[in-house]
Amino acid sequence: MAAEYMSVHPFDYYNKFIQQDIRPDGRSLSEFRHTILTTGTINTADSSATVKLGQTFLCCGIKLELGKPTEDNPNEGFIVPNIEMTPLCETSFKPGPPSAYQQAANQYLLELLTNSEVIDLTQLCVTQGELCWCIYADIVCLNWDGNIRDASWIALITALSRLKLPRIVFDEETQKHLLDKETTQKHLDVNPIPVSTTFAIFNDSIVIVDPNLQEEKITRSTLSIAITKDGEVCSVYKSGGSGLKTCQLGVCMRRALERAVDIIELIDKTA
Amino acid sequence: MDNGEVDINDEVSETLVPHICCEFQVLSKTDGSASFFQGSTSVLCGIHGPTEVKQSKQQNDKSAIEISANFNTVTHSCREKMLQEIIKNTAETMIITHTYPRTGITVSLQALHNDGSSLSAFINCLTMALIDSGLSMSFLVVAVTCGIPREPDKPIILYPSLEEEKLCVSVVTLCFDSVNYDVVTSYTTGTFSILRYEQALLQSESAGRRLVAIFEFIKRRSSDNCS
């Protein structure tokens, strides 16, 4: 009976719960879903991480390749994130080129990397102007239950923080670059990590944290805040939709800060 | 008819917004158009709609809005796609799309000259073109750009030029609605503290109120000229 009511009147169904300050899945308005993080799940990748945020399940695999740096930035390498959302994760996705939604999610990750400068790209330079590391991070969504931004960011940054760069030596005799397998590889230097928190605005007035898929569909707008645990904000991204008062923004900032502390602890604890 | 120059900068709020100049009906083949000058940055916008759309793009309960924005950048990256999404979502907030079901509204934006604060110039120009097009709107949306300088004691720069943007550690674009002055859109680059963002919010809101007054003045002047 409840399931039929939910499919015919999703908004009213949801409203009845919100009026009692609770959501259909039992969470309060400011509660996150349970987050599980594991690393090293893909053996063939240079680094990998799997994230389960409620039912949103995705994994990030990183592959290192050597390439030529651009002329504008001859001493910097590249990090190329790519989110793949196939029909496997949700029926609304069709095979083929990424939709505008996927491209926006991809761009969000890229913006976070650039804004926060969490990874100094000069570490990826092998020889200035000639050789640099390209980090290809493929994030495959296996099950989509909303909030792709937060989950994919956690997977990406965890995989990057566990990545080890091999040493490249230049062999004078053969005039070629060789991989030095004997020296221990070093981890990438990672600056303070920002954590992304997404909010959805229900009925133009009520802010809910960590929306699942059903909540994303019935709300008009989302707000994503990326903040480090020391309070440095890297992104406040709100793309149209219902208006938010300044005081509500302040509350969201503080909730995002609390979340940042929890997630950094989770990333540090994970082996 | 053309609106010509508008200059109502008074002493008190002179520093809040740059010199604004707006012309309506600049393109004859569109349903609504505007050219918008914000300091030295200028943008042109043309709107077609409501028009017929393909079955695949049709939505039963509202109009499908399509944005094509040309930022005049040399390389095309996902960044332009994200900015287009932001402009599209802002347009969807402004237009009462439920008034025009199963139709499409096409918005074309072209950057004429970029001297900083380009995203806010695009959104302000879009608002003006929508006024000219006569589409039903719930409210106007005004956009303000703030530049947050590197030094924490320096004040926030409103509508920074291209040179000033390069010296800033972060650039924040905020959009407010004209009724309650709630934040409709927020887009940031760079890193900043919560305090700085709150300062930017306060200053942008004052600038937003000023801008709404200017837009209302332009609207009244142009309708007086028409009648």
Side-chain angles (χ1 to χ4, degrees):
Chain A
M1 164 65 189
E4 284 89 3
Y5 187 63
M6 184 178 84
S7 55
V8 177
H9 300 289
F11 187 84
D12 291 333
Y13 174 81
Y14 209 76
N15 211 11
K16 287 200 192 310
F17 283 89
I18 292 285
Q19 280 164 7
Q20 311 294 326
D21 276 336
I22 200 165
R23 292 192 263 185
D25 55 5
R27 289 188 283 159
S28 75
L29 302 184
S30 61
E31 202 181 316
F32 281 89
R33 288 172 287 180
H34 185 53
T35 316
I36 303 173
L37 176 64
T38 42
T39 55
T41 39
I42 304 172
N43 288 335
T44 45
D46 294 308
S47 174
S48 57
T50 305
V51 167
K52 202 158 188 271
L53 178 66
Q55 292 298 318
T56 298
F57 186 29
L58 47 84
C59 64
C60 172
I62 292 191
K63 269 304 222 190
L64 281 171
E65 274 185 27
L66 286 167
K68 195 165 189 263
T70 58
E71 307 221 339
D72 291 333
N73 304 305
N75 60 344
E76 283 182 5
F78 307 99
I79 303 180
V80 184
N82 181 36
I83 303 182
E84 263 182 54
M85 296 181 83
T86 56
L88 172 72
C89 65
E90 216 262 332
T91 50
S92 61
F93 294 107
K94 303 281 175 271
S99 62
Y101 181 86
Q102 291 177 57
Q103 290 197 33
N106 245 342
Q107 184 57 23
Y108 180 71
L109 292 183
L110 208 56
E111 298 246 329
L112 276 194
L113 281 171
T114 326
N115 286 344
S116 61
E117 292 175 350
V118 63
I119 307 247
D120 185 4
L121 295 176
T122 51
Q123 296 173 68
L124 304 176
C125 178
V126 177
T127 316
Q128 178 151 340
E130 274 179 37
L131 207 61
C132 69
W133 285 113
C134 302
I135 299 178
Y136 291 104
D138 289 307
I139 300 163
V140 179
C141 183
L142 300 166
N143 194 49
W144 183 43
D145 193 24
N147 206 357
I148 191 75
R149 284 184 213 151
D150 294 0
S152 53
W153 174 251
I154 297 174
L156 176 65
I157 202 64
T158 310
L160 282 173
S161 64
R162 304 287 186 264
L163 181 65
K164 290 187 187 152
L165 285 181
R167 229 180 119 235
I168 302 280
V169 285
F170 187 67
D171 189 355
E172 291 292 341
E173 289 173 9
T174 56
Q175 290 287 303
K176 279 197 182 146
H177 285 99
L178 296 169
L179 209 64
D180 182 4
K181 293 195 180 147
E182 274 130 57
T183 22
T184 39
Q185 300 176 348
K186 75 179 199 79
H187 276 280
L188 264 186
D189 271 326
V190 176
N191 293 332
I193 294 175
V195 172
S196 162
T197 305
T198 301
F199 305 83
I201 302 160
F202 178 75
N203 204 15
D204 295 352
S205 52
I206 297 165
V207 178
I208 51 176
V209 154
D210 188 17
N212 61 27
L213 187 59
Q214 193 205 12
E215 288 162 5
E216 271 189 18
K217 288 191 169 154
I218 57 176
T219 53
R220 272 215 300 168
S221 51
T222 56
L223 161 73
S224 289
I225 298 178
I227 189 169
T228 64
K229 65 175 191 213
D230 304 316
E232 285 290 301
V233 185
C234 310
S235 168
V236 178
Y237 179 67
K238 184 181 185 301
S239 180
S242 10
L244 257 188
K245 305 226 177 300
T246 318
C247 53
Q248 283 177 306
L249 261 173
V251 170
C252 292
M253 290 275 199
R254 274 161 254 292
R255 186 71 190 91
L257 191 58
E258 286 168 17
R259 173 70 169 169
V261 173
D262 293 336
I263 290 295
I264 299 288
E265 206 184 296
L266 176 66
I267 295 178
D268 290 337
K269 242 180 20 188
T270 311
Chain B
M1 259 322 291
D2 288 347
N3 195 43
E5 273 204 331
V6 177
D7 186 355
I8 59 165
N9 290 318
D10 63 77
E11 280 173 37
V12 175
S13 36
E14 207 173 282
T15 48
L16 286 181
V17 298
H19 188 77
I20 300 282
C21 178
C22 179
E23 259 185 72
F24 292 128
Q25 295 279 301
V26 282
L27 305 169
S28 58
K29 298 292 182 199
T30 56
D31 293 323
S33 58
S35 83
F36 190 80
F37 295 78
Q38 182 178 283
S40 314
T41 307
S42 52
V43 182
L44 181 64
C45 177
I47 303 202
H48 294 266
T51 56
E52 217 177 292
V53 266
K54 278 195 285 199
Q55 262 293 31
S56 53
K57 291 197 183 155
Q58 244 181 45
Q59 287 181 38
N60 279 333
D61 56 340
K62 52 188 187 166
S63 177
I65 299 183
E66 203 181 295
I67 306 267
S68 140
N70 189 354
F71 295 92
N72 277 357
T73 46
V74 176
T75 50
H76 291 278
S77 63
C78 273
R79 185 138 189 273
E80 274 75 50
K81 266 272 181 275
M82 194 190 213
L83 293 176
Q84 283 195 15
E85 275 292 295
I86 293 175
I87 297 173
K88 174 170 173 265
N89 290 335
T90 311
E92 270 179 9
T93 316
M94 259 197 280
I95 304 171
I96 307 178
T97 47
H98 292 279
T99 327
Y100 315 103
R102 294 181 301 281
T103 63
I105 296 172
T106 314
V107 177
S108 308
L109 290 147
Q110 170 71 47
L112 298 172
H113 182 70
N114 181 12
D115 188 29
S117 311
S118 64
L119 182 59
S120 56
F122 270 79
I123 294 176
N124 288 331
C125 186
L126 168 70
T127 307
M128 289 276 107
L130 282 172
I131 292 174
D132 189 46
S133 69
L135 288 164
S136 306
M137 294 208 276
S138 1
F139 39 65
L140 301 178
V141 166
V142 290
V144 185
T145 303
C146 299
I148 301 178
R150 239 167 251 286
E151 299 81 14
D153 50 334
K154 271 200 174 160
I156 292 187
I157 308 169
L158 283 172
Y159 294 102
S161 65
L162 212 57
E163 288 299 313
E164 286 171 331
E165 273 186 3
K166 288 189 184 138
L167 299 171
C168 286
V169 73
S170 114
V171 176
V172 175
T173 306
L174 290 161
C175 298
F176 298 91
D177 72 72
S178 58
V179 176
N180 299 320
Y181 296 95
D182 290 336
V183 176
V184 166
T185 300
S186 164
Y187 176 71
T188 68
T189 56
T191 333
F192 44 89
S193 64
I194 297 181
L195 179 65
R196 281 303 227 172
Y197 188 73
E198 284 172 350
Q199 283 175 353
L201 269 176
L202 277 170
Q203 290 213 25
S204 313
E205 205 186 307
S206 322
R209 284 174 194 274
R210 174 79 189 147
L211 209 54
V212 169
I214 295 176
F215 283 10
E216 298 281 338
F217 180 78
I218 294 174
K219 242 184 4 170
R220 273 198 312 274
R221 267 276 291 268
S222 90
S223 60
D224 287 345
N225 282 348
C226 285
S227 55

